[in-house]
Amino acid sequence: MKREKRKKEEMQPRADGLTDYNVYIMQRGERVMNILLAAVAIFAVGMIFYQNIILSLLLALFSLRFPRIRTMQIIKSRKKMLNVQFKDLLYSLSSSMVAGRSLASAFGDAARDLQVLYPDPETPIMQEVRYIVRELEMGETVEDAVAQFAERAHLDDVTSFSDVIRTCNRSGGNLIEVIRNTSQIISDKIETKNEIETSIEAKKFESRILCAMPIVMVLLLSVTSPDYMAPVFHTLQGTVVMTISIIMFVAAFFIGEKIMDIEV
């Protein structure tokens, strides 16, 4: 009961209108389109493996779960994009502070610098920087404004940056030097992760091709040797074998994606 309640709360939009990057609410049209596309693809796979409309339609019911999978993909992609944009913010803040600006003033400079890189005002990092600047103008502290951003971003790098600011403000450390070093470390970490993802992109493509090969092989055998495949499509034992095969290559796909999702 508590798990269901927490899940429902996580799916609700924030009352203050700010973006929580761990939440994405699909519009009804988008949800229907995702279900239809997934249903068509799954039905086609079902027809290849079963050559039975009823079984294929039953298999296509799994498309109802696809919007949740697609939502997780969108959340992951959005957070990845925000992380890359956050690196540019760190560079701008570090440059401004080395030039003698305070951290609060550096955020104002960053808003102008990032506008050149991201002219679209709807870009996530631009929205976040403008919000931080607005909070500072209203008397909010830098520590609290960045902490609010970290709470919504759910990114380790943003959380680390927020913790550094909090620690320096409370312990009286050299904020300029610490921010510069932290910016360099976080930026190097983000670049390393991007390099790793680039290097394994070819392996990801190979993995997806291998997962699709069983479908291609069954289709080719069905077309070229229908008598050979008849026992598979028209017996209970064949249906069971095909079902196990589908489960195995779907599991292989998700396991492969999980293995190549490398965290730095």
Side-chain angles (χ1 to χ4, degrees):
M1 185 70 179
K2 291 182 178 179
R3 182 180 301 177
E4 292 179 356
K5 181 179 180 181
R6 182 169 63 251
K7 179 180 176 182
K8 183 177 180 181
E9 290 174 350
E10 288 175 352
M11 295 303 294
Q12 296 299 320
R14 291 174 59 97
D16 53 17
L18 298 175
T19 301
D20 187 326
Y21 293 90
N22 261 4
V23 176
Y24 179 78
I25 307 297
M26 273 193 179
Q27 299 298 321
R28 180 175 299 177
E30 185 181 5
R31 179 179 293 274
V32 171
M33 182 59 66
N34 276 283
I35 291 175
L36 289 177
L37 291 175
V40 170
I42 296 174
F43 179 80
V45 172
M47 287 299 295
I48 292 173
F49 274 80
Y50 294 125
Q51 292 195 359
N52 184 297
I53 294 179
I54 295 177
L55 291 177
S56 299
L57 288 173
L58 290 175
L59 188 65
L61 291 177
F62 283 100
S63 63
L64 297 175
R65 299 288 297 173
F66 184 71
R68 180 173 178 83
I69 297 174
R70 181 59 184 156
T71 295
M72 298 305 297
Q73 291 175 341
I74 292 174
I75 289 173
K76 182 179 178 180
S77 176
R78 186 170 61 173
K79 290 172 69 174
K80 178 182 177 181
M81 179 177 62
L82 178 64
N83 210 29
V84 173
Q85 295 170 357
F86 179 65
K87 179 187 69 173
D88 296 326
L89 171 62
L90 292 179
Y91 278 138
S92 179
L93 291 176
S94 179
S95 299
S96 295
M97 294 188 69
V98 169
R101 305 282 284 177
S102 66
L103 182 56
S105 300
F107 272 103
D109 294 340
R112 291 185 290 272
D113 294 341
L114 292 176
Q115 193 169 7
V116 178
L117 293 174
Y118 306 107
D120 184 1
E122 299 301 316
T123 303
I125 196 63
M126 290 301 302
Q127 292 180 330
E128 296 299 339
V129 173
R130 286 199 303 269
Y131 177 75
I132 290 175
V133 171
R134 187 163 63 249
E135 288 293 294
L136 296 177
E137 291 174 348
M138 295 176 62
E140 187 73 82
T141 64
V142 177
E143 177 182 335
D144 291 339
V146 175
Q148 291 177 26
F149 173 36
E151 180 183 353
R152 292 181 289 101
H154 303 283
L155 292 171
D156 292 339
D157 295 328
V158 181
T159 301
S160 298
F161 182 66
S162 175
D163 292 341
V164 165
I165 294 176
R166 182 184 299 108
T167 301
C168 286
N169 284 340
R170 297 181 181 182
S171 63
N174 187 340
L175 185 60
I176 296 177
E177 186 66 24
V178 172
I179 293 293
R180 185 172 63 178
N181 291 338
T182 303
S183 299
Q184 187 61 48
I185 292 171
I186 293 177
S187 297
D188 289 344
K189 176 183 174 183
I190 294 173
E191 288 180 356
T192 300
K193 185 173 183 178
N194 290 337
E195 290 174 1
I196 292 174
E197 290 180 349
T198 301
S199 65
I200 66 174
E201 195 63 37
K203 297 299 180 182
K204 286 184 177 181
F205 181 74
E206 292 175 7
S207 173
R208 290 163 186 166
I209 291 296
L210 289 174
C211 287
M213 284 305 296
I215 303 175
V216 177
M217 291 299 296
V218 172
L219 179 59
L220 287 176
L221 289 173
S222 301
V223 173
T224 59
S225 304
D227 294 336
Y228 176 76
M229 295 295 291
V232 177
F233 297 130
H234 304 299
T235 63
L236 177 61
Q237 294 88 341
T239 301
V240 172
V241 169
M242 282 302 190
T243 302
I244 294 174
S245 299
I246 292 175
I247 294 173
M248 289 181 65
F249 85 74
V250 170
F253 173 81
F254 284 108
I255 291 173
E257 292 291 308
K258 185 65 176 179
I259 290 174
M260 287 182 284
D261 185 15
I262 301 174
E263 294 292 336
V264 179

